[in-house]
């Protein structure tokens, strides 16, 4: 189990902002990690998951956080390299400041947000989430960030807005992978507006209380824990509210393999491999993959009338 205390390694701006959050945390919205933790662990005396203590080192299912070293050195970020072990080195000089995100489309108050604005305007919270890659590996990541809904509330989507479209920086000089003509750059992802507004959906700005590293999508990335990792788009520069379902980079590249929804689902297999099990980074063997990555209680109502085999 991880023993690093976030407070020992947290940059001051995030730490202070988190303290602010923690001190008002009687309302406790640390998300799924905490909501189900109370019920699960009420019959266990040796694991106490204190919602006021962010350094417990396990998620609400009792799974240990993946080590910082693994999270920082085993990455998918095709703009740098398709080799997971090379991404960190390739990304080390990536310029993440100054950074701005344009938020627009079908909104009443379009705006350009500087990174500093996002960090001060929205309290940064710790959210411990499982990340399940479509390739069949997974991690448990203690993110720092804030619910995307806070930002959406600021810009006020209009009545016609039904989806949210996200875009990564396009800069083939800094992001050499964007010279690879196989994919349609920049990386694009999308969510339905109700998915984007769900409390579990966050914009992440840190990991283990530290500022996000370039290889993890600095300075700001999406995290949607019940979906395959590829939905969690990195290094975002544009967010648009739109009325049509966005076409993501992966849907464009292989529409029969990657759908719009991409919910983690052991009953719907990738055409080329099974999704029954996964390898948790740092563990031996494989473990069963959980429906909606273990967040079914929180999110299955979003899909109640849908055929998930068809809407994969
Ligand atoms: N975002 C961009 N812009 N480019 C990418 O290649 N890879 C995705 C996702 N976000 C990717 C991306 C995939 S496939 C996964 S599994 C996660 O990022 C991996 O996140 P991590 O490297 O922080 O673990």
């Amino acid at each position: 189990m991880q023993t690093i205390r976030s407070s020992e390694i947290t940059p001051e701006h995030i730490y202070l902002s988190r303290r602010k959050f923690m001190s008002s945390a009687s309302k406790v919205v640390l998300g799924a990690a905490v909501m189900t933790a109370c019920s699960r662990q009420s019959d266990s005396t040796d694991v106490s998951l204190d919602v006021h203590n962010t350094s417990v080192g396990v998620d609400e299912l009792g799974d240990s956080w993946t080590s910082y070293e693994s999270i920082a050195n085993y990455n998918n970020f095709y703009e740098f390299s398709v080799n997971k072990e090379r991404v960190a080195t390739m990304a080390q000089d990536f310029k993440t400041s100054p950074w701005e995100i344009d938020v627009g489309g079908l909104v009443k108050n379009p705006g350009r947000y500087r990174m500093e604005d996002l960090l001060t305007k929205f309290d940064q919270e710790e959210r411990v989430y499982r990340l399940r890659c479509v390739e069949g590996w997974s991690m448990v990541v203690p993110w720092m960030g804030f619910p995307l809904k806070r930002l959406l509330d600021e810009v006020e989507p209009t009545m016609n807005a039904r989806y949210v479209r996200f875009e990564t920086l396009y800069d083939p000089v800094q992001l050499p992978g964007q010279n690879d003509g196989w994919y349609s750059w920049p990386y694009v992802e999308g969510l339905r507006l109700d998915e984007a507004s769900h409390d579990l959906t966050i914009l992440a700005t840190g990991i283990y209380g530290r500022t996000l590293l370039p290889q993890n999508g600095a300075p700001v990335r999406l995290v949607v824990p019940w979906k395959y990792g590829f939905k969690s788009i990195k290094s975002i520069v544009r967010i648009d509210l739109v009325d049509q379902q966005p076409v993501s980079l992966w849907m464009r590249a292989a529409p029969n393999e990657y759908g719009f929804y991409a919910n983690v689902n052991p009953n719907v297999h990738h055409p080329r491999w099974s999704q029954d099990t996964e390898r948790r980074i740092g563990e031996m063997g494989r473990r069963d993959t959980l429906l909606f990555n273990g967040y079914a209680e929180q999110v299955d109502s979003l899909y109640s009338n849908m055929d998930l085999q068809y809407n994969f």
Side-chain angles (χ1 to χ4, degrees), residues 190-201:
L191 294 173
R192 230 167 49 194
L193 183 54
D194 57 349
E195 297 176 318
S197 306
H198 194 285
D199 181 60
L200 288 180
T201 305

Side-chain angles (χ1 to χ4, degrees), residues 2 6 18 29-37 49-51 53-66 71 125-131 139-145 200 202 206-209 223 225 280 293-295 298:
Q2 289 303 319
S6 333
R18 184 167 80 240
V29 281
L30 279 183
V34 168
M35 288 190 298
T36 49
L49 186 56
D50 175 357
V51 296
N53 178 354
T54 55
S55 60
V56 287
V58 291
D59 71 6
E60 85 284 8
L61 303 181
D63 295 351
S64 297
W65 298 357
T66 301
I71 297 171
E125 312 168 14
E126 184 161 74
R127 299 283 186 109
V128 179
Y129 288 156
R130 292 170 291 285
L131 176 92
M139 297 185 179
V140 179
V141 184
W143 302 101
M144 298 295 301
L200 288 180
I202 60 166
I207 286 175
Y208 269 92
V223 180
R280 179 66 49 86
N293 206 19
Y295 301 98
Q298 289 92 339

Side-chain angles (χ1 to χ4, degrees), residues 75-79 131 133 137 168 187 215-216 221 229-230 232-234:
N75 303 102
N76 269 336
F77 202 162
Y78 276 36
E79 286 88 334
L131 176 92
C133 179
W137 53 268
T168 295
Y187 200 99
Q215 59 266 37
N216 294 115
R221 69 166 306 162
F230 67 83
S232 294
I233 178 172
K234 297 178 169 182

Side-chain angles (χ1 to χ4, degrees), residues 155-217:
V155 297
E156 291 188 63
T158 64
M159 293 291 288
N160 297 332
R162 293 183 55 217
Y163 297 91
V164 187
R165 181 183 183 279
F166 305 85
E167 213 175 281
T168 295
L169 176 71
Y170 182 69
D171 180 352
V173 174
Q174 285 207 82
L175 303 172
Q178 289 179 337
N179 295 302
D180 178 345
W182 182 257
Y183 297 102
S184 57
W185 305 104
Y187 200 99
V188 167
E189 261 307 337
L191 294 173
R192 230 167 49 194
L193 183 54
D194 57 349
E195 297 176 318
S197 306
H198 194 285
D199 181 60
L200 288 180
T201 305
I202 60 166
L203 286 177
T205 57
I207 286 175
Y208 269 92
R210 303 187 198 185
T211 303
L212 211 54
L213 292 167
Q215 59 266 37
N216 294 115

